[in-house]
Amino acid sequence: MYQPEFEAMPTEELRGLQLDRLRTVLRRVYDNVPLYRDKFDAAGVSPEIGSLEDLSAFPFTVKNDMRSAYPYGMFAVPLKEIVRVHSSSGTTGQITVVGYTKGDIERWSDLMARTLVCAGATDEDVVQVTYGYGLFTGGLGAHYGSERLGAVTIPISGGNTKRQVQVMKDFGTTILACTPSYALLIAETAQEMGIDLHELPLKAGIFGAEPWSENMRLQVEEILGCKAIDIYGLSEIIGPGVASECSEQHGLHVNEDHFLIEIVDPETLQPVPDGETGEVVFTTLTKEGIPVIRYRTRDISRIIPGECPCGRGFRRMERVTGRSDDMLIIRGVNVFPSQIEQVLAGIPGVAPHYQVILDKRGSMDTVEVHVEVAPDMFFDEIRELEALQNRVRGEIQSALAVSIAVKLVEPKSIERSQGKAKRVIDKRS
Amino acid sequence: MIEQLSVFIENKAGRLAELTRTLSGAGVNMRALILADTAEFGVVRIICDRPHDAKRVLEENGFGVSITQVIAVQVPDAPGGLAEVLEVFGKEEINVEYAYCFVEPGSEYAVDIFKVDDERATAVLQNAGLKVVPSEQLYARD
């Protein structure tokens, strides 16, 4: 453990610490963020709470609150105290900005150091940070954690897979940080290059930013010849470092001294007991730049009851199994298919009827969007139809920030259904 | 100008059969059919005896149809017939988007169909002494 004084804190003591911190953060947002003051007043709740359970009377925060507050409306400190901003992965239309104080960066570094230690890392390791650097939280989050731990940090960022393999071999990488699907691509590329990853010193990977199955974990572990650790985080809460598996690989320990987790029924929005499945809701306990109260992640999971043999006291959340909205994660990017409809509505010659087909080619997600041509105003020349197809592809790609293929299909050929349209066909798992 | 049906179809087995069966079911007689295709989709261009009836019945059966204005030129069914027309367009710098031809059995003439985006086209052809075919000669006005 990196910080056993917290990670193995007795439960009673931990709950006490959480309550103290919760009171402080509720008071801070009430005093400094008009949105929270208005919400708390409207709900008739006061920051002076008596127990952790009192939090369930507080209003939720949703993605749209953060969007409406764009860019800085939910910051709880003056901008002079902010030293870094990141934004949510995903798309230009849906961007949200999160700010970090010096103290936030300090704590985040500790959290990511914990995550690396969960994967078995020490200050003698060589960490290849293949998460993207930039506005996305993954790259810099892992980078600071690795430096905090004292490991050799390779800030290679994503892309150029052959170079990733070469660096991994030449620099003696022992810990790889990237999305699980990219880990598979690296492995396939290594095979093509005739490099046997099993002969390299790689011992573990911290893989996150997209959902993956247990089968995929086994595949990754076998082909990379290393332990594959699932990590969890989201930029609205802090980025990576919210929760991580330990060497037991049975659930992700939530860093409960910094984040309060609730599981709520997605219909009634009432908290459910440990063990029951529902939507994950987080409250940040120590964030200064942009504290978040009861943030609805839309991720579906549950708390795994019982203690973990690793000795950490933090409760474990199960691997995320789904979403309570239409969001898809494609190659690590958050994608809302409903955005496609908006794009299509602005292009003459096509109808706003579409279907998204997700599949895999090798280890990479592929996306094909089927779009209906307009019933009677399509172009009769192949050249113009191809130009239309390219325009649709270009506009969807720039809206979603992922590369896709577009197939023009006949009018009324996409099945219309009552109620919720079957917009997404996911053949990936 | 001639009214040509343009039908968008995906490249999948049996789709062209469905299209032609739909037309035959409505008693539509085709004079010409040509398929322009890519790997994924195609455009079927049809000249038939009742274009508006044909459009309606195809739409009722789920096809995407539009009517495109094309020019028909009657040329002798002999070497150089088409080249002569194209040379006239070329001299006037009129760009041909696409073209196709058909010959009626037993006839000494061929009909060349052109899609051009230039309002001068018909006049240019007539001034060059070429025979632009009126629609009545190819199909009924429905």
Side-chain angles (χ1 to χ4, degrees):
Chain A
M1 278 175 250
Y2 182 68
Q3 293 176 309
E5 67 277 24
F6 294 107
E7 293 175 78
M9 190 179 260
T11 305
E12 283 303 300
E13 204 181 322
L14 178 62
R15 299 291 166 245
L17 178 70
Q18 285 181 317
L19 183 57
D20 282 349
R21 289 180 166 178
L22 182 58
R23 284 183 178 132
T24 306
V25 75
L26 289 174
R27 169 51 66 189
R28 191 181 318 129
V29 297
Y30 188 79
D31 289 345
N32 296 299
V33 185
L35 177 112
Y36 281 118
R37 175 180 287 260
D38 294 347
K39 280 189 165 212
F40 290 4
D41 286 346
V45 290
S46 144
E48 314 307 326
I49 55 171
S51 75
L52 290 173
E53 285 67 38
D54 293 348
L55 184 63
S56 65
F58 280 69
F60 291 100
T61 305
V62 294
K63 181 91 175 171
N64 212 36
D65 292 325
M66 306 194 82
R67 249 178 249 144
S68 313
Y70 177 86
Y72 300 145
M74 285 180 71
F75 286 15
V77 296
L79 276 186
K80 70 184 281 278
E81 291 181 36
I82 297 289
V83 299
R84 169 123 47 98
V85 291
H86 281 288
S87 89
S88 62
S89 68
T91 64
T92 46
Q94 310 267 346
I95 197 168
T96 57
V97 179
V98 288
Y100 300 74
T101 64
K102 264 185 186 154
D104 289 334
I105 299 285
E106 283 291 310
R107 283 180 290 275
W108 190 18
S109 304
D110 283 339
L111 290 168
M112 284 308 289
R114 288 183 191 177
T115 296
L116 285 160
V117 172
C118 270
T122 69
D123 58 4
E124 310 214 355
D125 276 294
V126 178
V127 180
Q128 183 164 339
V129 182
T130 299
Y131 286 115
Y133 282 63
L135 282 175
F136 174 53
T137 51
L140 284 166
H143 180 101
Y144 274 61
S146 173
E147 287 194 348
R148 172 60 47 92
L149 182 62
V152 176
T153 308
I154 310 173
I156 188 169
S157 193
N160 199 340
T161 314
K162 279 189 177 162
R163 192 175 58 144
Q164 300 279 355
V165 175
Q166 201 62 49
V167 163
M168 189 179 285
K169 176 170 179 274
D170 296 347
F171 294 16
T173 300
T174 55
I175 306 278
L176 176 64
C178 62
T179 61
S181 56
Y182 197 68
L184 279 181
L185 184 64
I186 287 176
E188 285 162 9
T189 306
Q191 280 177 343
E192 284 165 18
M193 294 166 69
I195 293 174
D196 184 359
L197 292 180
H198 291 250
E199 289 180 2
L200 302 186
L202 188 68
K203 66 181 192 192
I206 52 170
F207 302 130
E210 65 185 18
W212 49 316
S213 63
E214 189 59 30
N215 276 343
M216 186 160 168
R217 185 219 298 275
L218 295 176
Q219 198 187 349
V220 169
E221 291 195 331
E222 188 186 319
I223 187 166
L224 269 86
C226 75
K227 209 161 177 115
I229 297 292
D230 190 14
I231 68 171
Y232 176 86
L234 58 169
S235 63
E236 291 82 359
I237 302 304
I238 200 162
V242 176
S244 169
E245 283 184 339
C246 60
S247 56
E248 298 293 322
Q249 295 177 304
H250 180 55
L252 296 87
H253 290 282
V254 176
N255 284 305
E256 291 190 273
D257 52 340
H258 295 284
F259 311 106
L260 197 69
I261 182 171
E262 296 172 88
I263 306 288
V264 303
D265 182 315
E267 300 290 324
T268 67
L269 299 180
Q270 292 305 307
V272 300
D274 284 6
E276 283 185 27
T277 299
E279 184 178 322
V280 181
V281 172
F282 279 112
T283 298
T284 64
L285 295 173
T286 53
K287 277 268 287 299
E288 294 169 345
I290 180 164
V292 185
I293 309 301
R294 302 198 86 201
Y295 183 72
R296 288 186 62 184
T297 64
R298 300 287 185 169
D299 286 328
I300 301 292
S301 179
R302 70 184 186 108
I303 302 278
I304 298 173
E307 288 175 13
C308 182
C310 79
R312 288 180 180 81
F314 297 152
R315 286 178 299 167
R316 294 160 294 167
M317 61 184 269
E318 196 172 60
R319 169 200 302 280
V320 170
T321 53
R323 297 277 305 173
S324 65
D325 61 10
D326 70 339
M327 190 181 88
L328 302 170
I329 301 184
I330 298 168
R331 297 190 285 263
V333 178
N334 301 346
V335 170
F336 294 87
S338 45
Q339 286 171 275
I340 295 174
E341 201 162 314
Q342 290 173 26
V343 171
L344 296 180
I347 303 180
V350 293
H353 294 291
Y354 65 92
Q355 201 160 41
V356 180
I357 319 286
L358 298 173
D359 209 338
K360 275 192 183 294
R361 187 179 305 127
S363 59
M364 291 303 281
D365 296 341
T366 62
V367 189
E368 186 173 80
V369 183
H370 291 185
V371 178
E372 285 184 6
V373 297
D376 62 352
M377 66 166 298
F378 75 87
F379 306 103
D380 136 271
E381 288 158 34
I382 295 291
R383 177 167 60 84
E384 292 192 67
L385 281 165
E386 285 177 338
L388 176 67
Q389 189 175 24
N390 286 336
R391 178 178 174 192
V392 171
R393 181 173 61 233
E395 293 200 14
I396 294 177
Q397 274 179 185
S398 70
L400 302 184
V402 290
S403 67
I404 59 154
V406 163
K407 182 179 179 187
L408 295 178
V409 299
E410 291 178 29
K412 303 191 184 72
S413 63
I414 292 171
E415 196 184 330
R416 312 288 199 267
S417 54
Q418 308 283 324
K420 203 172 179 185
K422 180 83 178 149
R423 291 298 190 200
V424 179
I425 295 176
D426 197 337
K427 300 176 176 170
R428 289 182 294 184
S429 48
Chain B
M1 298 289 263
I2 304 296
E3 296 190 325
Q4 169 201 266
L5 293 178
S6 302
V7 188
F8 178 91
I9 59 170
E10 289 166 49
N11 278 3
K12 54 187 181 192
R15 194 60 179 150
L16 190 56
E18 284 167 19
L19 184 154
T20 48
R21 181 56 66 199
T22 302
L23 288 176
S24 76
V28 172
N29 191 19
M30 289 188 284
R31 310 296 296 271
L33 179 150
I34 186 163
L35 175 62
D37 69 315
T38 69
E40 289 170 349
F41 59 81
V43 176
V44 184
R45 298 169 186 142
I46 298 166
I47 296 195
C48 65
D49 56 356
R50 290 180 289 125
H52 290 267
D53 281 350
K55 178 173 192 281
R56 185 178 44 76
V57 74
L58 285 173
E59 282 173 347
E60 283 167 7
N61 284 276
F63 288 92
V65 190
S66 65
I67 288 187
T68 313
Q69 303 291 331
V70 294
I71 296 174
V73 185
Q74 182 178 302
V75 297
D77 183 15
L82 174 59
E84 193 186 341
V85 184
L86 290 171
E87 278 160 10
V88 171
F89 282 142
K91 209 166 75 188
E92 295 293 330
E93 297 194 342
I94 292 173
N95 194 33
V96 176
E97 306 288 348
Y98 58 77
Y100 54 98
C101 317
F102 59 95
V103 180
E104 308 256 328
S107 163
E108 52 200 288
Y109 295 103
V111 177
D112 297 342
I113 303 287
F114 301 96
K115 165 84 186 292
V116 294
D117 281 331
D118 195 317
E119 288 169 1
R120 298 174 296 145
T122 303
V124 162
L125 293 170
Q126 282 168 338
N127 290 342
L130 292 162
K131 186 170 181 344
V132 176
V133 180
S135 61
E136 304 85 50
Q137 193 179 323
L138 288 180
Y139 54 81
R141 286 207 173 273
D142 60 338

